[in-house]
Amino acid sequence: MNSRIQDTNYLEMCYALAEKARGYTSPNPYVGALVVRAGEIIGWGYHEKAGRPHAEAVALERAGQRARDATAYITLEPCTHWGRTPPCVDLVRQSGLKRVVISDYDPNPQVYRKGVRRIRASGIQVSVGLLKERHRTLNEVYIKYATQNVPFVTLKAAVSLDGKIATASSVSQWISSPATREYIHLVRGEYDALLVGIDTILKDDPRLTVRHPHWRGKQQVRVILDSRLRFPLTARILETLSRGGILIFTGQHAPARKRLTLEKMGVRIVSVPLSQGRLQLPKILDWLAGQEISSVLVEGGGRVHTDFLEKGLADKLLVTVSPKLIGGTRAPSFFQGRGIQDLQDAQGLKRIREFRIQDDVLIEGYF
């Protein structure tokens, strides 16, 4: 078999392993690894969770002494620094491997190209770059967080065929089909935090939990933007603290008594500056990054989506379009604000993917 085809096949297997960790490794990347000797897979592994051994460490431990003169396949450059675990590059150098095939460099400035240089310096053959686009798609969250220290932000909206997210009387349940909502719960679980504005809490009273069998026991932070601390003490989300923390960002002049009451109930309150009566989103994202929250799914409502769009803070958009017509000039859309005057100024999407679930069309793209 052609060696490039063979390398591609083994790396595809590594990516299949890495995919198993979706939603569990934050703020670390998804990584898979294999150790192959004379056409036999003698070691395999993936990074299961932050704090657990990295993929190459697991694969090399399984291979043991048989790793000598073998080839290792790794989806990401081995780390060179101490974190929750020792640097993997030392394990690779001491393993007796003959060759290492790495899909892509680690964008983290602490690691970038350093791991490859150290492996080559020990006399091991190294090749880099095969299926690198696969890595950059799989680890889009990690890449942004590691290079910019800001969470990856996805906007999610369910709209009617005429672009409405609710009726004029604020009824929004349910625009999309049950199967689409189940899929969205599957997507939810991949993110560290879910974010909504206070209007969503007041109108829909959501629990903001992940209700999909794939994510049993999944803990997620629920973030609420509430500049005047109007959060109701009877909100259903308060019954779900065992499913993840509740974090409310509010203005610096929010009522002190209300704040104290909520904090006693287990809610974390963080004050941030206001700009023209709105919470400053960049400061919120910086604060979340400091808590190792590397990804945020923004679920609305329309004013919150508009703030993220107008300030250029969103990376990705996921819209579910249902074949329903709501109509009405007062019915809200997910992108509001002043709008544009010239179509040349319209925000476009790149790398668009679309698919169907029952009668709904789902559109996914990047800004």
Short mmCIF file of all heavy atoms in Angstrom, two decimals, residues 81-147:
data_model
loop_
_atom_site.label_atom_id
_atom_site.label_comp_id
_atom_site.label_asym_id
_atom_site.label_seq_id
_atom_site.Cartn_x
_atom_site.Cartn_y
_atom_site.Cartn_z
N HIS A 81 5.13 21.18 27.85
CA HIS A 81 5.11 21.87 29.14
C HIS A 81 4.27 21.09 30.15
O HIS A 81 3.42 20.29 29.78
CB HIS A 81 4.54 23.29 28.98
CG HIS A 81 3.12 23.28 28.49
ND1 HIS A 81 2.76 22.88 27.23
CD2 HIS A 81 1.95 23.63 29.11
CE1 HIS A 81 1.45 22.98 27.06
NE2 HIS A 81 0.95 23.44 28.20
N TRP A 82 4.52 21.36 31.41
CA TRP A 82 3.72 20.78 32.48
C TRP A 82 2.40 21.53 32.59
O TRP A 82 2.36 22.76 32.59
CB TRP A 82 4.45 20.86 33.81
CG TRP A 82 5.44 19.75 34.00
CD1 TRP A 82 6.72 19.69 33.57
CD2 TRP A 82 5.21 18.52 34.69
NE1 TRP A 82 7.31 18.51 33.94
CE2 TRP A 82 6.41 17.76 34.63
CE3 TRP A 82 4.10 17.97 35.35
CZ2 TRP A 82 6.52 16.51 35.21
CZ3 TRP A 82 4.22 16.72 35.94
CH2 TRP A 82 5.42 15.99 35.86
N GLY A 83 1.32 20.77 32.68
CA GLY A 83 0.02 21.32 32.98
C GLY A 83 -0.55 20.48 34.09
O GLY A 83 0.05 20.33 35.16
N ARG A 84 -1.71 19.87 33.83
CA ARG A 84 -2.24 18.90 34.79
C ARG A 84 -1.52 17.56 34.66
O ARG A 84 -1.61 16.71 35.54
CB ARG A 84 -3.75 18.70 34.57
CG ARG A 84 -4.60 19.94 34.87
CD ARG A 84 -6.07 19.59 34.73
NE ARG A 84 -6.94 20.69 35.09
CZ ARG A 84 -7.55 21.48 34.21
NH1 ARG A 84 -7.36 21.27 32.92
NH2 ARG A 84 -8.33 22.45 34.61
N THR A 85 -0.82 17.37 33.53
CA THR A 85 -0.08 16.14 33.27
C THR A 85 1.32 16.50 32.79
O THR A 85 1.58 17.63 32.36
CB THR A 85 -0.79 15.29 32.18
OG1 THR A 85 -0.89 16.07 30.99
CG2 THR A 85 -2.17 14.87 32.64
N PRO A 86 2.27 15.53 32.83
CA PRO A 86 3.64 15.82 32.37
C PRO A 86 3.68 16.06 30.86
O PRO A 86 2.75 15.69 30.14
CB PRO A 86 4.40 14.53 32.73
CG PRO A 86 3.53 13.78 33.67
CD PRO A 86 2.12 14.17 33.35
N PRO A 87 4.77 16.67 30.35
CA PRO A 87 4.90 16.90 28.91
C PRO A 87 5.01 15.59 28.14
O PRO A 87 5.85 14.74 28.46
CB PRO A 87 6.17 17.73 28.80
CG PRO A 87 6.90 17.55 30.08
CD PRO A 87 5.88 17.25 31.12
N CYS A 88 4.17 15.44 27.12
CA CYS A 88 4.14 14.19 26.35
C CYS A 88 5.36 14.04 25.45
O CYS A 88 5.71 12.92 25.06
CB CYS A 88 2.87 14.13 25.50
SG CYS A 88 1.37 14.01 26.47
N VAL A 89 5.99 15.14 25.09
CA VAL A 89 7.12 15.04 24.17
C VAL A 89 8.24 14.18 24.76
O VAL A 89 8.93 13.46 24.02
CB VAL A 89 7.65 16.46 23.82
CG1 VAL A 89 8.31 17.13 25.01
CG2 VAL A 89 8.59 16.40 22.64
N ASP A 90 8.40 14.19 26.07
CA ASP A 90 9.45 13.36 26.69
C ASP A 90 9.12 11.88 26.58
O ASP A 90 10.03 11.05 26.35
CB ASP A 90 9.62 13.76 28.16
CG ASP A 90 10.17 15.17 28.32
OD1 ASP A 90 10.85 15.65 27.39
OD2 ASP A 90 9.91 15.80 29.36
N LEU A 91 7.85 11.54 26.73
CA LEU A 91 7.45 10.14 26.56
C LEU A 91 7.73 9.66 25.14
O LEU A 91 8.20 8.54 24.93
CB LEU A 91 5.96 9.98 26.87
CG LEU A 91 5.51 10.18 28.31
CD1 LEU A 91 3.98 10.13 28.40
CD2 LEU A 91 6.11 9.11 29.20
N VAL A 92 7.42 10.52 24.17
CA VAL A 92 7.64 10.16 22.77
C VAL A 92 9.12 9.97 22.50
O VAL A 92 9.54 8.99 21.86
CB VAL A 92 7.05 11.24 21.84
CG1 VAL A 92 7.42 10.98 20.39
CG2 VAL A 92 5.54 11.31 22.00
N ARG A 93 9.96 10.87 23.02
CA ARG A 93 11.41 10.79 22.76
C ARG A 93 12.04 9.56 23.41
O ARG A 93 13.01 9.00 22.88
CB ARG A 93 12.09 12.06 23.30
CG ARG A 93 11.66 13.33 22.58
CD ARG A 93 12.26 14.55 23.25
NE ARG A 93 13.70 14.60 23.11
CZ ARG A 93 14.51 15.30 23.89
NH1 ARG A 93 14.00 15.99 24.90
NH2 ARG A 93 15.81 15.31 23.69
N GLN A 94 11.51 9.15 24.54
CA GLN A 94 12.10 8.03 25.28
C GLN A 94 11.53 6.67 24.91
O GLN A 94 11.94 5.65 25.44
CB GLN A 94 11.90 8.27 26.78
CG GLN A 94 12.59 9.52 27.32
CD GLN A 94 12.04 9.98 28.65
OE1 GLN A 94 11.27 9.27 29.30
NE2 GLN A 94 12.44 11.17 29.08
N SER A 95 10.58 6.66 23.97
CA SER A 95 9.83 5.42 23.68
C SER A 95 10.55 4.48 22.73
O SER A 95 10.14 3.33 22.59
CB SER A 95 8.48 5.79 23.07
OG SER A 95 8.71 6.49 21.83
N GLY A 96 11.58 4.96 22.03
CA GLY A 96 12.26 4.12 21.05
C GLY A 96 11.57 4.11 19.70
O GLY A 96 11.90 3.29 18.83
N LEU A 97 10.61 5.00 19.48
CA LEU A 97 9.92 5.06 18.20
C LEU A 97 10.90 5.38 17.07
O LEU A 97 11.90 6.09 17.26
CB LEU A 97 8.85 6.14 18.24
CG LEU A 97 7.61 5.88 19.11
CD1 LEU A 97 6.83 7.17 19.33
CD2 LEU A 97 6.71 4.82 18.47
N LYS A 98 10.59 4.88 15.90
CA LYS A 98 11.40 5.18 14.72
C LYS A 98 10.86 6.39 13.97
O LYS A 98 11.62 7.17 13.39
CB LYS A 98 11.42 3.96 13.79
CG LYS A 98 12.26 4.15 12.54
CD LYS A 98 12.27 2.89 11.70
CE LYS A 98 13.14 3.07 10.45
NZ LYS A 98 13.15 1.83 9.61
N ARG A 99 9.52 6.54 14.01
CA ARG A 99 8.88 7.58 13.20
C ARG A 99 7.62 8.07 13.90
O ARG A 99 6.93 7.30 14.58
CB ARG A 99 8.54 6.98 11.83
CG ARG A 99 7.86 7.91 10.85
CD ARG A 99 7.80 7.25 9.47
NE ARG A 99 7.05 8.05 8.52
CZ ARG A 99 5.84 7.76 8.07
NH1 ARG A 99 5.24 6.64 8.46
NH2 ARG A 99 5.24 8.55 7.22
N VAL A 100 7.32 9.36 13.71
CA VAL A 100 6.10 9.94 14.26
C VAL A 100 5.41 10.73 13.15
O VAL A 100 6.04 11.57 12.49
CB VAL A 100 6.39 10.87 15.46
CG1 VAL A 100 5.10 11.49 15.96
CG2 VAL A 100 7.09 10.11 16.58
N VAL A 101 4.13 10.48 12.95
CA VAL A 101 3.31 11.20 11.97
C VAL A 101 2.32 12.05 12.75
O VAL A 101 1.49 11.52 13.48
CB VAL A 101 2.58 10.23 11.02
CG1 VAL A 101 1.73 11.02 10.02
CG2 VAL A 101 3.58 9.35 10.28
N ILE A 102 2.44 13.37 12.58
CA ILE A 102 1.60 14.31 13.33
C ILE A 102 0.73 15.07 12.34
O ILE A 102 1.22 15.58 11.34
CB ILE A 102 2.48 15.30 14.13
CG1 ILE A 102 3.32 14.53 15.16
CG2 ILE A 102 1.62 16.36 14.82
CD1 ILE A 102 4.40 15.38 15.81
N SER A 103 -0.56 15.16 12.63
CA SER A 103 -1.47 15.82 11.71
C SER A 103 -1.26 17.33 11.67
O SER A 103 -1.26 17.93 10.59
CB SER A 103 -2.92 15.50 12.06
OG SER A 103 -3.80 15.98 11.09
N ASP A 104 -1.06 17.97 12.83
CA ASP A 104 -0.92 19.43 12.81
C ASP A 104 -0.14 19.90 14.03
O ASP A 104 -0.08 19.21 15.06
CB ASP A 104 -2.30 20.09 12.79
CG ASP A 104 -2.27 21.53 12.28
OD1 ASP A 104 -1.22 21.96 11.77
OD2 ASP A 104 -3.31 22.20 12.36
N TYR A 105 0.45 21.08 13.89
CA TYR A 105 1.14 21.70 15.02
C TYR A 105 0.12 22.18 16.05
O TYR A 105 -1.00 22.56 15.72
CB TYR A 105 1.97 22.89 14.54
CG TYR A 105 3.13 22.55 13.66
CD1 TYR A 105 3.08 22.79 12.28
CD2 TYR A 105 4.29 21.99 14.19
CE1 TYR A 105 4.16 22.48 11.46
CE2 TYR A 105 5.38 21.67 13.36
CZ TYR A 105 5.30 21.91 12.00
OH TYR A 105 6.35 21.60 11.19
N ASP A 106 0.55 22.21 17.31
CA ASP A 106 -0.28 22.76 18.38
C ASP A 106 -0.19 24.28 18.31
O ASP A 106 0.91 24.85 18.39
CB ASP A 106 0.23 22.26 19.73
CG ASP A 106 -0.72 22.59 20.87
OD1 ASP A 106 -1.40 23.64 20.80
OD2 ASP A 106 -0.80 21.81 21.83
N PRO A 107 -1.32 25.01 18.15
CA PRO A 107 -1.26 26.47 18.04
C PRO A 107 -0.91 27.17 19.33
O PRO A 107 -0.61 28.38 19.31
CB PRO A 107 -2.68 26.82 17.59
CG PRO A 107 -3.54 25.74 18.17
CD PRO A 107 -2.70 24.50 18.07
N ASN A 108 -0.94 26.46 20.45
CA ASN A 108 -0.59 27.07 21.73
C ASN A 108 0.85 27.58 21.66
O ASN A 108 1.77 26.81 21.37
CB ASN A 108 -0.72 26.02 22.84
CG ASN A 108 -0.51 26.60 24.22
OD1 ASN A 108 0.18 27.59 24.40
ND2 ASN A 108 -1.11 25.97 25.22
N PRO A 109 1.08 28.88 21.90
CA PRO A 109 2.43 29.44 21.81
C PRO A 109 3.46 28.71 22.67
O PRO A 109 4.66 28.72 22.35
CB PRO A 109 2.26 30.90 22.26
CG PRO A 109 0.82 31.20 22.01
CD PRO A 109 0.08 29.91 22.25
N GLN A 110 3.01 28.07 23.76
CA GLN A 110 3.93 27.33 24.61
C GLN A 110 4.46 26.07 23.93
O GLN A 110 5.51 25.54 24.32
CB GLN A 110 3.24 26.93 25.92
CG GLN A 110 2.94 28.07 26.85
CD GLN A 110 2.32 27.57 28.14
OE1 GLN A 110 1.14 27.22 28.19
NE2 GLN A 110 3.10 27.50 29.18
N VAL A 111 3.73 25.60 22.91
CA VAL A 111 4.06 24.32 22.29
C VAL A 111 4.46 24.47 20.82
O VAL A 111 5.32 23.71 20.34
CB VAL A 111 2.85 23.36 22.39
CG1 VAL A 111 3.18 22.00 21.77
CG2 VAL A 111 2.40 23.20 23.83
N TYR A 112 3.89 25.41 20.12
CA TYR A 112 3.98 25.51 18.66
C TYR A 112 5.37 25.24 18.11
O TYR A 112 6.32 25.97 18.39
CB TYR A 112 3.50 26.89 18.22
CG TYR A 112 3.48 27.10 16.73
CD1 TYR A 112 2.63 26.36 15.92
CD2 TYR A 112 4.31 28.04 16.12
CE1 TYR A 112 2.60 26.55 14.54
CE2 TYR A 112 4.28 28.24 14.75
CZ TYR A 112 3.43 27.49 13.97
OH TYR A 112 3.40 27.68 12.61
N ARG A 113 5.50 24.12 17.39
CA ARG A 113 6.71 23.64 16.72
C ARG A 113 7.80 23.19 17.68
O ARG A 113 8.77 22.53 17.26
CB ARG A 113 7.27 24.68 15.75
CG ARG A 113 6.35 24.94 14.56
CD ARG A 113 6.95 25.94 13.59
NE ARG A 113 6.07 26.15 12.44
CZ ARG A 113 6.19 25.53 11.25
NH1 ARG A 113 7.17 24.65 11.09
NH2 ARG A 113 5.34 25.79 10.27
N LYS A 114 7.69 23.50 18.96
CA LYS A 114 8.72 23.09 19.92
C LYS A 114 8.73 21.58 20.11
O LYS A 114 9.80 20.96 20.22
CB LYS A 114 8.49 23.79 21.27
CG LYS A 114 8.62 25.30 21.25
CD LYS A 114 8.42 25.87 22.65
CE LYS A 114 8.52 27.40 22.67
NZ LYS A 114 7.36 28.04 22.04
N GLY A 115 7.52 20.98 20.16
CA GLY A 115 7.45 19.53 20.33
C GLY A 115 8.08 18.80 19.16
O GLY A 115 8.85 17.84 19.35
N VAL A 116 7.79 19.24 17.95
CA VAL A 116 8.36 18.60 16.76
C VAL A 116 9.88 18.75 16.75
O VAL A 116 10.61 17.79 16.45
CB VAL A 116 7.73 19.21 15.49
CG1 VAL A 116 8.50 18.77 14.25
CG2 VAL A 116 6.27 18.78 15.38
N ARG A 117 10.38 19.93 17.08
CA ARG A 117 11.84 20.14 17.10
C ARG A 117 12.52 19.21 18.08
O ARG A 117 13.57 18.63 17.79
CB ARG A 117 12.16 21.60 17.44
CG ARG A 117 11.95 22.57 16.29
CD ARG A 117 12.73 23.85 16.51
NE ARG A 117 12.25 24.58 17.67
CZ ARG A 117 11.32 25.53 17.63
NH1 ARG A 117 10.75 25.85 16.48
NH2 ARG A 117 10.95 26.15 18.72
N ARG A 118 11.92 19.05 19.25
CA ARG A 118 12.55 18.20 20.27
C ARG A 118 12.51 16.73 19.88
O ARG A 118 13.45 15.98 20.15
CB ARG A 118 11.87 18.42 21.63
CG ARG A 118 12.20 19.79 22.22
CD ARG A 118 11.46 20.05 23.51
NE ARG A 118 11.80 19.07 24.54
CZ ARG A 118 11.31 19.10 25.78
NH1 ARG A 118 10.46 20.08 26.12
NH2 ARG A 118 11.65 18.20 26.66
N ILE A 119 11.45 16.31 19.22
CA ILE A 119 11.38 14.91 18.77
C ILE A 119 12.42 14.66 17.69
O ILE A 119 13.14 13.65 17.71
CB ILE A 119 9.96 14.58 18.27
CG1 ILE A 119 8.95 14.67 19.41
CG2 ILE A 119 9.92 13.17 17.66
CD1 ILE A 119 7.50 14.59 18.97
N ARG A 120 12.52 15.58 16.74
CA ARG A 120 13.52 15.42 15.67
C ARG A 120 14.94 15.43 16.24
O ARG A 120 15.81 14.70 15.77
CB ARG A 120 13.35 16.53 14.65
CG ARG A 120 12.18 16.29 13.70
CD ARG A 120 12.05 17.41 12.68
NE ARG A 120 11.00 17.09 11.70
CZ ARG A 120 10.23 17.99 11.12
NH1 ARG A 120 10.38 19.30 11.41
NH2 ARG A 120 9.31 17.63 10.24
N ALA A 121 15.16 16.26 17.26
CA ALA A 121 16.49 16.35 17.86
C ALA A 121 16.92 15.03 18.49
O ALA A 121 18.12 14.78 18.66
CB ALA A 121 16.53 17.47 18.89
N SER A 122 15.95 14.18 18.84
CA SER A 122 16.28 12.89 19.44
C SER A 122 16.50 11.80 18.39
O SER A 122 16.70 10.64 18.73
CB SER A 122 15.17 12.46 20.40
OG SER A 122 13.97 12.25 19.71
N GLY A 123 16.46 12.18 17.09
CA GLY A 123 16.75 11.23 16.02
C GLY A 123 15.55 10.51 15.46
O GLY A 123 15.69 9.61 14.62
N ILE A 124 14.35 10.90 15.86
CA ILE A 124 13.12 10.27 15.36
C ILE A 124 12.65 11.01 14.11
O ILE A 124 12.65 12.25 14.08
CB ILE A 124 12.03 10.29 16.43
CG1 ILE A 124 12.47 9.50 17.67
CG2 ILE A 124 10.71 9.71 15.89
CD1 ILE A 124 11.52 9.63 18.85
N GLN A 125 12.25 10.28 13.08
CA GLN A 125 11.70 10.90 11.88
C GLN A 125 10.31 11.46 12.20
O GLN A 125 9.50 10.80 12.84
CB GLN A 125 11.56 9.88 10.76
CG GLN A 125 12.85 9.21 10.32
CD GLN A 125 12.57 8.10 9.32
OE1 GLN A 125 11.63 8.16 8.54
NE2 GLN A 125 13.41 7.07 9.36
N VAL A 126 10.05 12.68 11.72
CA VAL A 126 8.76 13.31 11.99
C VAL A 126 8.21 13.89 10.69
O VAL A 126 8.93 14.56 9.95
CB VAL A 126 8.87 14.45 13.03
CG1 VAL A 126 7.49 15.04 13.32
CG2 VAL A 126 9.51 13.95 14.31
N SER A 127 6.95 13.63 10.42
CA SER A 127 6.26 14.30 9.32
C SER A 127 5.01 14.99 9.87
O SER A 127 4.35 14.44 10.77
CB SER A 127 5.89 13.32 8.21
OG SER A 127 5.01 12.33 8.69
N VAL A 128 4.69 16.17 9.35
CA VAL A 128 3.59 16.98 9.88
C VAL A 128 2.75 17.52 8.73
O VAL A 128 3.30 17.91 7.69
CB VAL A 128 4.12 18.18 10.70
CG1 VAL A 128 2.97 18.94 11.35
CG2 VAL A 128 5.11 17.73 11.76
N GLY A 129 1.44 17.55 8.91
CA GLY A 129 0.57 18.26 7.97
C GLY A 129 -0.50 17.43 7.31
O GLY A 129 -1.43 18.00 6.72
N LEU A 130 -0.44 16.12 7.42
CA LEU A 130 -1.45 15.28 6.77
C LEU A 130 -2.78 15.41 7.53
O LEU A 130 -2.83 15.26 8.74
CB LEU A 130 -0.97 13.83 6.77
CG LEU A 130 -1.68 12.85 5.84
CD1 LEU A 130 -1.59 13.30 4.38
CD2 LEU A 130 -1.09 11.45 6.00
N LEU A 131 -3.85 15.73 6.81
CA LEU A 131 -5.20 15.92 7.38
C LEU A 131 -5.26 17.09 8.37
O LEU A 131 -6.12 17.10 9.26
CB LEU A 131 -5.69 14.64 8.07
CG LEU A 131 -5.84 13.38 7.20
CD1 LEU A 131 -6.43 12.24 8.03
CD2 LEU A 131 -6.70 13.64 5.99
N LYS A 132 -4.41 18.09 8.18
CA LYS A 132 -4.40 19.19 9.14
C LYS A 132 -5.73 19.94 9.16
O LYS A 132 -6.13 20.47 10.22
CB LYS A 132 -3.25 20.14 8.87
CG LYS A 132 -3.32 20.89 7.57
CD LYS A 132 -2.10 21.79 7.39
CE LYS A 132 -2.16 22.56 6.08
NZ LYS A 132 -0.95 23.41 5.90
N GLU A 133 -6.43 20.01 8.02
CA GLU A 133 -7.72 20.71 8.02
C GLU A 133 -8.74 19.97 8.87
O GLU A 133 -9.64 20.59 9.45
CB GLU A 133 -8.22 20.88 6.58
CG GLU A 133 -7.40 21.86 5.75
CD GLU A 133 -7.28 23.23 6.40
OE1 GLU A 133 -8.28 23.70 6.99
OE2 GLU A 133 -6.19 23.83 6.33
N ARG A 134 -8.60 18.66 8.93
CA ARG A 134 -9.49 17.88 9.79
C ARG A 134 -9.29 18.30 11.25
O ARG A 134 -10.25 18.47 12.00
CB ARG A 134 -9.17 16.39 9.59
CG ARG A 134 -9.96 15.42 10.46
CD ARG A 134 -11.33 15.15 9.90
NE ARG A 134 -12.03 14.22 10.75
CZ ARG A 134 -12.01 12.88 10.61
NH1 ARG A 134 -11.33 12.35 9.60
NH2 ARG A 134 -12.67 12.09 11.42
N HIS A 135 -8.03 18.46 11.62
CA HIS A 135 -7.74 18.89 12.99
C HIS A 135 -8.30 20.29 13.25
O HIS A 135 -8.87 20.55 14.31
CB HIS A 135 -6.24 18.90 13.24
CG HIS A 135 -5.84 19.72 14.43
ND1 HIS A 135 -5.26 20.96 14.31
CD2 HIS A 135 -6.03 19.52 15.75
CE1 HIS A 135 -5.08 21.46 15.52
NE2 HIS A 135 -5.53 20.62 16.41
N ARG A 136 -8.15 21.20 12.30
CA ARG A 136 -8.55 22.58 12.53
C ARG A 136 -10.07 22.73 12.62
O ARG A 136 -10.55 23.67 13.24
CB ARG A 136 -7.95 23.47 11.43
CG ARG A 136 -6.43 23.54 11.57
CD ARG A 136 -5.73 24.27 10.46
NE ARG A 136 -4.28 24.09 10.61
CZ ARG A 136 -3.38 24.64 9.82
NH1 ARG A 136 -3.76 25.44 8.82
NH2 ARG A 136 -2.09 24.42 10.03
N THR A 137 -10.79 21.81 12.01
CA THR A 137 -12.24 21.80 12.17
C THR A 137 -12.64 21.18 13.51
O THR A 137 -13.45 21.74 14.26
CB THR A 137 -12.91 21.03 11.02
OG1 THR A 137 -12.59 21.67 9.78
CG2 THR A 137 -14.42 20.99 11.19
N LEU A 138 -12.05 20.05 13.82
CA LEU A 138 -12.37 19.35 15.08
C LEU A 138 -12.04 20.22 16.29
O LEU A 138 -12.80 20.27 17.26
CB LEU A 138 -11.59 18.03 15.15
CG LEU A 138 -11.72 17.24 16.44
CD1 LEU A 138 -13.14 16.77 16.67
CD2 LEU A 138 -10.76 16.05 16.44
N ASN A 139 -10.93 20.92 16.23
CA ASN A 139 -10.46 21.69 17.39
C ASN A 139 -10.59 23.19 17.21
O ASN A 139 -9.76 23.97 17.70
CB ASN A 139 -9.01 21.31 17.70
CG ASN A 139 -8.93 20.02 18.51
OD1 ASN A 139 -9.60 19.88 19.53
ND2 ASN A 139 -8.12 19.09 18.05
N GLU A 140 -11.66 23.62 16.53
CA GLU A 140 -11.85 25.06 16.30
C GLU A 140 -11.97 25.83 17.62
O GLU A 140 -11.48 26.96 17.74
CB GLU A 140 -13.09 25.30 15.43
CG GLU A 140 -14.38 24.76 16.02
CD GLU A 140 -15.54 24.80 15.03
OE1 GLU A 140 -15.28 25.02 13.84
OE2 GLU A 140 -16.69 24.58 15.46
N VAL A 141 -12.59 25.22 18.60
CA VAL A 141 -12.72 25.87 19.91
C VAL A 141 -11.35 26.03 20.56
O VAL A 141 -10.98 27.12 21.01
CB VAL A 141 -13.66 25.06 20.83
CG1 VAL A 141 -13.55 25.53 22.27
CG2 VAL A 141 -15.10 25.16 20.35
N TYR A 142 -10.60 24.95 20.60
CA TYR A 142 -9.28 24.98 21.24
C TYR A 142 -8.35 25.98 20.56
O TYR A 142 -7.62 26.71 21.22
CB TYR A 142 -8.66 23.59 21.22
CG TYR A 142 -7.21 23.57 21.65
CD1 TYR A 142 -6.86 23.74 22.98
CD2 TYR A 142 -6.18 23.40 20.71
CE1 TYR A 142 -5.53 23.75 23.38
CE2 TYR A 142 -4.86 23.40 21.11
CZ TYR A 142 -4.53 23.57 22.44
OH TYR A 142 -3.21 23.58 22.83
N ILE A 143 -8.38 26.01 19.23
CA ILE A 143 -7.48 26.89 18.49
C ILE A 143 -7.73 28.35 18.85
O ILE A 143 -6.79 29.12 19.10
CB ILE A 143 -7.62 26.65 16.97
CG1 ILE A 143 -7.05 25.27 16.61
CG2 ILE A 143 -6.91 27.74 16.18
CD1 ILE A 143 -7.35 24.82 15.20
N LYS A 144 -8.99 28.76 18.90
CA LYS A 144 -9.27 30.16 19.26
C LYS A 144 -8.88 30.44 20.71
O LYS A 144 -8.25 31.47 21.00
CB LYS A 144 -10.75 30.49 19.06
CG LYS A 144 -11.03 31.96 19.37
CD LYS A 144 -12.47 32.36 19.25
CE LYS A 144 -12.64 33.85 19.57
NZ LYS A 144 -14.06 34.25 19.59
N TYR A 145 -9.24 29.54 21.60
CA TYR A 145 -8.96 29.76 23.02
C TYR A 145 -7.45 29.79 23.28
O TYR A 145 -6.95 30.63 24.04
CB TYR A 145 -9.63 28.67 23.85
CG TYR A 145 -9.48 28.85 25.33
CD1 TYR A 145 -10.19 29.83 26.01
CD2 TYR A 145 -8.62 28.03 26.07
CE1 TYR A 145 -10.05 30.01 27.38
CE2 TYR A 145 -8.48 28.20 27.44
CZ TYR A 145 -9.20 29.18 28.10
OH TYR A 145 -9.05 29.36 29.45
N ALA A 146 -6.70 28.90 22.62
CA ALA A 146 -5.26 28.81 22.85
C ALA A 146 -4.50 29.98 22.27
O ALA A 146 -3.45 30.37 22.79
CB ALA A 146 -4.72 27.50 22.27
N THR A 147 -5.01 30.56 21.19
CA THR A 147 -4.28 31.64 20.51
C THR A 147 -4.75 33.04 20.91
O THR A 147 -3.99 33.99 20.85
CB THR A 147 -4.39 31.50 18.99
OG1 THR A 147 -5.77 31.49 18.59
CG2 THR A 147 -3.73 30.20 18.52
#
